Amino acid sequence: MRAWLSGHRYDILEELVICIQETVLGVQSDLVSQLVVMVAPTESYPLYFYYDMNTREEVVSRRNVDFAHLPKLGLRRLEENYIIEKVRSPYSLGHLYRAVGKHDPTEHRFFYRAVVRVVDGYTARHVTCSLKKALKRAAGEIAVGLYRSNTIDRNHVFLFIDRTPSGSKIQMSPADWRNVVYKAYRDCKRIVIHFIASPA
């Protein structure tokens, strides 16, 4: 199912969700266990809506997670141990979840999940820049989430590096991968610490 949407405004999004929900309720088939609806805006990333057809309800934790990225983010494993709630975000490249432990309800965390696309032709500098952008986005979203919630005691960031083949030769050696990941983390750690320590 594909539709076209002119913008990302939340009021339009909520109207869209209602429309999709009504359509899903009208689907009569015992052969469909899960339904994925993709909405393709004219000037942005596609929107994704996942529905459990046994309950006819949306699986909100998967909203706007690219269908191809879903297995890479480890959400099913996360849901085995936590009750997760997706935090509304303007970004579609990363996903922030507020989580409460199933076995220990006093455990509260933020989990950030993102797929970082890296083309084989990228140099170490390009890969480092991509990772730093993802880490800065994660830190920013977690900072906003922490501002709105004072019960969070831990945060966890998971970046899945998705290598995409290209016509160019692979530029990165195994040692390069270790170095760029460490460098991106080190640089972003300094920036985050400086941001937190700086006076308002």
Side-chain angles (χ1 to χ4, degrees), residues 20-33:
I20 295 174
Q21 181 70 49
E22 292 175 350
T23 303
V24 169
L25 291 174
V27 175
Q28 302 295 328
S29 175
D30 295 332
L31 301 178
V32 180
S33 60

Side-chain angles (χ1 to χ4, degrees), residues 31-68:
L31 301 178
V32 180
S33 60
Q34 178 179 262
L35 181 65
V36 182
V37 179
M38 185 186 80
V39 180
T42 55
E43 298 178 352
S44 186
Y45 294 97
L47 307 176
Y48 292 88
F49 303 87
Y50 295 78
Y51 286 86
D52 182 341
M53 296 305 289
N54 294 318
T55 62
R56 296 294 198 277
E57 293 182 355
E58 183 189 359
V59 184
V60 180
S61 62
R62 286 162 172 67
R63 182 183 291 184
N64 291 343
V65 176
D66 190 305
F67 187 73

Side-chain angles (χ1 to χ4, degrees), residues 64-129:
N64 291 343
V65 176
D66 190 305
F67 187 73
H69 293 171
L70 187 60
K72 303 170 184 177
L73 298 182
L75 293 181
R76 287 189 177 87
R77 184 176 179 182
L78 188 61
E79 289 171 332
E80 290 176 0
N81 299 306
Y82 295 90
I83 300 171
I84 64 174
E85 173 192 359
K86 188 168 186 180
V87 179
R88 179 179 285 181
S89 167
Y91 299 106
S92 59
L93 298 178
H95 309 278
L96 181 64
Y97 297 91
R98 182 183 292 107
V100 178
K102 287 185 176 180
H103 306 294
D104 180 5
T106 64
E107 182 183 5
H108 297 260
R109 293 190 181 192
F110 272 134
F111 286 90
Y112 184 87
R113 295 287 191 266
V115 172
V116 180
R117 182 173 176 268
V118 174
V119 179
D120 278 348
Y122 280 7
T123 63
R125 183 175 63 84
H126 289 134
V127 176
T128 301
C129 288

